[in-house]
Amino acid sequence: MSNLKIAIQKSGRLSDDSIKLFKECGIKFEVGKSKLKSTSRNFPADFLFLRDDDIPGYVEDGVADVGIVGENVLVEYGKDVDTAKALGFSKCRLSLAVPREVDYPGIEYFEGKSIATSYPNLLKKYLDKKGVNAQIHIISGSVEIAPGIGLAEGVCDIVSTGGTLLSNGLKEVEEIFQSEALMISNKGLSDEKRVLLESLLFRINAVQKAQSHKYVLLNAPNAKIDDIIRVMPGMRSPTITPLKQEGWSSIHSVLKESDFWENIETMREAGAEGILVIPIEKMIS
Ligand code: ATP
Ligand code: ZN
């Protein structure tokens, strides 16, 4: 049986979270600074460590079967691959920025101006949509210094907090694209490889679901149980066991982290006490 070839970024902003994801999925492999390839000890997979820019092309060509890459890079290179799953990490945006002192009137500001970027295709698509003609300077790194050295009047770059722009005397004026890490796959995977990808996605789903839920235990007077379980339905239904103290029960259930605080308030108001909230490692429904 041939192994699933998985391309991940060798070193950069996608690497740590990509490695962590496979670890949480129980897939073990070695990562070394000088390593280009590593075979997992307990899952039929070979990991290829590459520059993120090369990943969409390698997945299209079948050099890798699947890969993890930012949506920004995938769309910029326009390669013909499938998106298997959005992974929820490396969230960032591609934005236009100008020197802080500019009194920015709107996108028309860029008409006839020059913009430095590593994302010429994404930028061009946006400017075309807005009907703006600008000169695009392609630079492969440190785009944010371009205005300071007189290379361009604006930049189009990746932003997460805006700190890098700020420290280079720039301000963000237009958001043109939102991105997160994606798992992409080759369009012509063999049936055998597809089974491996499905089993990988099954594990990733279990990890992601667990991370967005909590296991909640609490004590409640029996008369209040109905009020409380209304807000904690659980995977199938909550578990209710009697406490040694007459008239009281312990309720166990699973709650979505996103509506956690609101529901905890409701439970407390209904008379719940001794509330414990426990992280879940894997969740399979
Ligand atoms: P490589 O050497 O592999 O070409 P790179 O320098 O092009 O790396 P990184 O800066 O490591 O790329 O970013 C990789 C991806 O991580 C980006 O394409 C983007 O999707 C995402 N990313 C970039 N900057 C941030 C950030 N500040 N916060 C979150 N995600 C980011
Ligand atoms: Zn890159």
Side-chain angles (χ1 to χ4, degrees):
M1 189 166 95
S2 51
N3 285 355
L4 189 70
K5 290 172 285 178
I6 304 174
I8 60 175
Q9 191 188 23
K10 183 167 172 53
S11 101
R13 300 205 184 244
L14 290 160
S15 312
D16 289 351
D17 284 333
S18 302
I19 293 165
K20 186 165 132 241
L21 178 68
F22 291 107
K23 205 179 226 175
E24 287 165 342
C25 289
I27 297 173
K28 294 183 176 155
F29 61 100
E30 273 180 37
V31 194
K33 273 218 155 55
S34 58
K35 265 190 185 306
L36 295 176
K37 193 178 155 185
S38 169
T39 298
S40 169
R41 278 180 274 142
N42 61 356
F43 189 88
D46 293 330
F47 288 84
L48 313 176
F49 306 106
L50 301 167
R51 278 200 62 196
D52 69 337
D53 309 67
D54 297 333
I55 292 176
Y58 281 154
V59 171
E60 183 184 56
D61 297 345
V63 172
D65 300 312
V66 303
I68 294 181
V69 72
E71 198 172 348
N72 52 320
V73 168
L74 177 65
V75 176
E76 176 63 26
Y77 287 96
K79 300 291 181 186
D80 194 23
V81 297
D82 285 332
T83 296
K85 181 143 193 76
L87 298 173
F89 59 81
S90 295
K91 286 194 174 166
C92 58
R93 54 194 188 271
L94 189 63
S95 291
L96 281 162
V98 297
R100 204 167 25 210
E101 59 280 7
V102 168
D103 189 13
Y104 183 74
I107 189 69
E108 66 272 18
Y109 171 80
F110 290 100
E111 182 65 37
K113 295 221 169 39
S114 59
I115 308 170
T117 189
S118 308
Y119 297 92
N121 294 325
L122 276 166
L123 175 57
K124 174 123 191 5
K125 213 182 282 172
Y126 183 81
L127 293 175
D128 286 351
K129 196 176 72 190
K130 297 284 178 183
V132 172
N133 275 302
Q135 220 185 326
I136 300 177
H137 278 288
I138 307 171
I139 326 190
S140 60
S142 304
V143 167
E144 63 286 350
I145 64 165
I149 59 172
L151 192 63
E153 290 155 293
V155 304
C156 172
D157 202 8
I158 295 289
V159 183
S160 60
T161 60
T164 311
L165 290 180
L166 214 61
S167 63
N168 284 282
L170 300 172
K171 63 177 176 189
E172 186 177 357
V173 291
E174 306 279 347
E175 178 183 302
I176 77 166
F177 190 80
Q178 284 188 338
S179 179
E180 66 180 285
L182 301 179
M183 169 144 305
I184 56 171
S185 62
N186 177 273
K187 288 211 147 164
L189 287 187
S190 64
D191 290 348
E192 192 183 52
K193 295 275 174 87
R194 215 162 273 285
V195 168
L196 290 178
L197 173 60
E198 286 307 318
S199 117
L200 177 61
L201 291 173
F202 176 82
R203 293 188 189 201
I204 293 175
N205 286 334
V207 168
Q208 284 188 341
K209 202 153 183 212
Q211 284 167 350
S212 62
H213 288 76
K214 298 285 176 207
Y215 190 75
V216 178
L217 300 91
L218 57 83
N219 295 328
N222 289 345
K224 299 291 186 177
I225 289 177
D226 287 343
D227 291 343
I228 293 172
I229 63 175
R230 208 167 293 135
V231 294
M232 47 190 303
M235 288 175 80
R236 183 175 294 276
S237 78
T239 306
I240 300 172
T241 45
L243 293 190
K244 189 153 181 13
Q245 184 180 338
E246 190 80 13
W248 281 75
S249 293
S250 165
I251 305 176
H252 299 198
S253 194
V254 171
L255 265 189
K256 243 199 162 124
E257 166 116 67
S258 50
D259 36 44
F260 171 73
W261 287 112
E262 200 184 319
N263 287 329
I264 287 290
E265 277 308 306
T266 312
M267 292 170 207
R268 270 167 46 84
E269 277 158 23
E273 55 180 64
I275 302 173
L276 299 180
V277 179
I278 299 168
I280 301 170
E281 195 179 291
K282 308 285 187 289
M283 185 164 160
I284 296 152
S285 41

